[in-house]
Amino acid sequence: MCSFFIFYVFTCFGFFCLNVNADIAIAHDGLPIYYEVHGKGDKFLMLGTGTAGPRPMSFARGVEVPDALKESFSTAKQKWIDELGDDYRLIFVEYPGLDPKMYTLTPATMTRDYLAVADAAGADEFAWAGFSWGCVCGLQIALRTERMKALACGGFPTLDGIYDDMRLTTKTQIEKPTSFYGMGPYFVPEMSRQFNTFYMALESFNDRAIQGALKMPRLSWIGDQDLPTLNGEPLTHMGQIIVNNKAELEELGWDVIIVPGKNHLDGGSPEVQVPIIKEWLSKNY
């Protein structure tokens, strides 16, 4: 969902992987989607944006991944494999990729593309773990398929989501260089435009109205200090939204975890995410 963070955690770099299968699926626009499968479990876990990715990917075409980040990418990806690879087959997906889907990236096309990856990987059923924009994607996919058997959403409210803030942010990023969460500016306008297309398609989306359609086990988690900013000005406090909605979410069937003292970037680290996802999945998938 946010500029630097989408691509920072999305492009993890890894080595020494178990049972790796690297391949491509075809997106709605005919372009390849690179993915890798790691691990040896019987069940599939698809890792959405904000968790870890299959290989280094820069912020824009022609921009190299800084050497200083490659080691952290490797460490992040390997953490998921080491902790979850014995129990699951992990699908790491490079999406939406370096070729912007400026006017075609919608919740429906995104869902179609991730299901194409699941088909290519042989995952008739799968659990989903996504953070930030990956949480938004997971929620939309869950509404469009019965193949998702568990949904773990981090770093974005699953009730009273900040969609207006995201439309403002992506529109601002198109028009001028932008700092979101104090990081950046890293997006080129074309990259921002595709996410604006995505969030504009959710202009009439009501995340309260759809709660009854969600039948799979589901987790909503966030750091209690998760407050996004746009060019230094605070937006809606996402952590506080989930804190305030915790009882209602639980009544609706969500498990809720509030991580004390963590902001968005802290919460997205594998040291925070992986133990949460591992423990929750062990009881729910």
Side-chain angles (χ1 to χ4, degrees):
M1 61 173 266
C2 60
S3 54
F4 176 82
F5 191 71
I6 291 176
F7 287 96
Y8 178 85
V9 295
F10 177 58
T11 59
C12 300
F13 189 68
F15 304 96
F16 312 121
C17 303
L18 295 172
N19 299 341
V20 60
N21 174 33
D23 211 334
I24 63 168
I26 302 301
H28 69 275
D29 55 3
L31 293 174
I33 307 170
Y34 179 81
Y35 72 91
E36 294 177 6
V37 180
H38 298 253
K40 58 186 180 182
D42 295 329
K43 298 179 180 180
F44 286 91
L45 171 60
M46 186 172 290
L47 297 175
T49 304
T51 53
R55 61 183 182 180
M57 190 178 77
S58 63
F59 311 121
R61 187 166 294 283
V63 178
E64 293 186 6
V65 177
D67 289 340
L69 293 181
K70 289 183 179 179
E71 183 176 352
S72 62
F73 289 167
S74 174
T75 301
K77 180 179 177 181
Q78 197 63 43
K79 176 76 171 177
W80 286 92
I81 296 168
D82 290 344
E83 294 294 327
L84 293 163
D86 285 342
D87 297 318
Y88 306 99
R89 296 179 69 187
L90 307 172
I91 307 175
F92 295 85
V93 188
E94 188 172 274
Y95 189 83
L98 280 177
D99 294 297
K101 307 176 188 304
M102 289 191 290
Y103 304 105
T104 65
L105 185 65
T106 67
T109 58
M110 174 277 300
T111 298
R112 178 259 177 226
D113 291 347
Y114 272 110
L115 293 180
V117 173
D119 289 342
D124 294 333
E125 299 178 350
F126 57 90
W128 175 277
F131 185 88
S132 196
W133 188 62
C135 170
V136 179
C137 291
L139 184 59
Q140 293 300 316
I141 296 170
L143 293 169
R144 290 170 168 81
T145 182
E146 296 181 354
R147 295 168 65 179
M148 186 187 294
K149 299 305 179 182
L151 169 62
C153 276
F156 194 89
T158 52
L159 191 66
D160 298 334
I162 62 165
Y163 297 99
D164 287 341
D165 282 358
M166 296 319 305
R167 283 185 283 273
L168 172 63
T169 297
T170 54
K171 183 176 184 293
T172 304
Q173 289 172 333
I174 293 169
E175 296 173 349
K176 61 185 177 181
T178 305
S179 172
F180 188 53
Y181 268 110
M183 308 298 291
Y186 291 96
F187 265 17
V188 296
E190 293 79 9
M191 287 290 185
S192 300
R193 187 172 295 281
Q194 68 181 341
F195 292 106
N196 183 251
T197 296
F198 182 90
Y199 282 111
M200 289 304 297
L202 291 172
E203 195 166 17
S204 62
F205 177 65
N206 183 341
D207 61 13
R208 286 185 166 271
I210 54 82
Q211 293 294 325
L214 300 170
K215 305 301 183 183
M216 73 289 291
R218 50 204 183 274
L219 168 68
S220 181
W221 69 274
I222 201 164
D224 66 356
Q225 302 302 310
D226 198 324
L227 171 60
T229 60
L230 179 61
N231 288 333
E233 296 297 322
L235 296 173
T236 307
H237 198 309
M238 297 198 298
Q240 195 60 51
I241 290 175
I242 296 185
V243 170
N244 292 344
N245 288 341
K246 184 175 185 293
E248 186 174 2
L249 282 164
E250 290 173 341
E251 289 179 4
L252 289 167
W254 291 85
D255 295 321
V256 180
I257 296 176
I258 310 296
V259 186
K262 299 299 183 183
N263 62 29
H264 198 71
L265 296 179
D266 294 337
S269 71
E271 289 76 15
V272 174
Q273 286 200 65
V274 173
I276 290 174
I277 302 304
K278 181 179 181 179
E279 181 176 359
W280 184 79
L281 285 177
S282 71
K283 302 172 183 177
N284 293 280
Y285 178 54

